[in-house]
Amino acid sequence: MSFELTKLPYAYDALEPYIDAQTMEIHHQKHHGAYTNNLNAAVQGTAMEGKTIEQLLAGISALPVAVRNNGGGFYNHNLYWEIMAPGGAPAPEGDLAKAIDAAFGSYKEFKDAFTKAALTRFGSGWAWLVKQGDSLVISSTPNQDNPLMDLAEVKGTPILGVDVWEHAYYLKYQNRRPDYVEAFFSVINWDEVAKRFKG
Ligand code: MN3
């Protein structure tokens, strides 16, 4: 059994004008497609074959760097597509909203801290909202690392993540990462994030 590139749950142009169709198509087909193919090539014919992506990430410090980079890329993009939706909700609700208030003070303070994590990640990487038990923390990781990896500085279950590699925004926003991150907040699928928070 091998890892498969999932279809997006919406059309490539569904997140316009916040994220443009061309970026979405290249990002999904070429970038995510390459991570998926390279992950399959890296595990094929080894003891890693047949393991779930979560199993691989949990022991990533002992695995080849190709699995770390491409396994992370495979997992991270699956999450990224799913936690976005056209016209996403303006803010979280229910238990997730309460947990955000408890951890950060308010939604506004959460948004500021998450944005700061995304903007201060030097070079390529991700910013995350991470579930640790019933609590939430924000972190960021370089390259395609994520909080499920045993070598991550901040470990836990990622329930929201923003890709800050230039390939995620350069066509529309060029060097303006702050504009992309602000736009990202307009397409967050808070229902999906809440589902992941529930576990
Ligand atoms: Mn990407």
Side-chain angles (χ1 to χ4, degrees):
M1 207 191 80
S2 58
F3 296 105
E4 276 179 38
L5 180 65
T6 50
K7 275 190 68 177
L8 293 195
Y10 39 74
Y12 286 125
D13 64 1
L15 305 182
E16 296 262 13
Y18 305 104
I19 303 181
D20 63 286
Q22 191 187 11
T23 294
M24 289 295 290
E25 183 169 354
I26 295 171
H27 199 174
H28 178 245
Q29 289 186 10
K30 306 293 183 187
H31 293 275
H32 197 188
Y35 295 127
T36 306
N37 292 339
N38 293 340
L39 173 62
N40 284 323
V43 301
Q44 200 175 26
T46 75
M48 297 177 280
E49 199 167 4
K51 294 233 164 98
T52 66
I53 189 62
E54 287 84 0
Q55 287 171 328
L56 293 174
L57 297 176
I60 207 73
S61 61
L63 300 181
V65 70
V67 179
R68 177 176 174 178
N69 290 338
N70 295 292
F74 173 76
Y75 180 94
N76 295 348
H77 290 85
N78 281 340
L79 179 142
Y80 179 67
W81 310 132
E82 286 183 12
I83 55 82
M84 296 190 290
E93 294 174 354
D95 288 345
L96 176 59
K98 281 184 203 146
I100 285 176
D101 288 349
F104 308 107
S106 66
Y107 175 74
K108 168 81 168 64
E109 284 166 285
F110 151 73
K111 187 182 173 190
D112 289 349
F114 185 87
T115 298
K116 188 179 173 200
L119 300 188
T120 55
R121 167 50 54 193
F122 183 77
S124 298
W126 293 73
W128 305 103
L129 179 60
V130 182
K131 186 183 175 193
Q132 291 181 334
D134 291 332
S135 191
L136 291 168
V137 293
I138 287 168
S139 76
S140 84
T141 54
N143 305 313
Q144 295 295 351
D145 286 359
N146 71 41
L148 292 175
M149 292 182 174
D150 60 350
L151 43 68
E153 246 172 76
V154 176
K155 290 190 247 317
T157 305
I159 63 169
L160 174 71
V162 64
D163 185 346
V164 295
W165 285 58
E166 282 189 343
H167 68 226
Y169 61 88
Y170 201 85
L171 291 178
K172 182 178 174 74
Y173 296 100
Q174 292 83 48
N175 60 315
R176 302 188 311 277
R177 190 190 288 186
D179 292 355
Y180 157 70
V181 173
E182 178 62 32
F184 170 76
F185 273 91
S186 296
V187 292
I188 294 176
N189 182 352
W190 284 110
D191 290 343
E192 179 63 28
V193 180
K195 215 162 82 188
R196 287 165 183 264
F197 178 67
K198 239 179 189 165

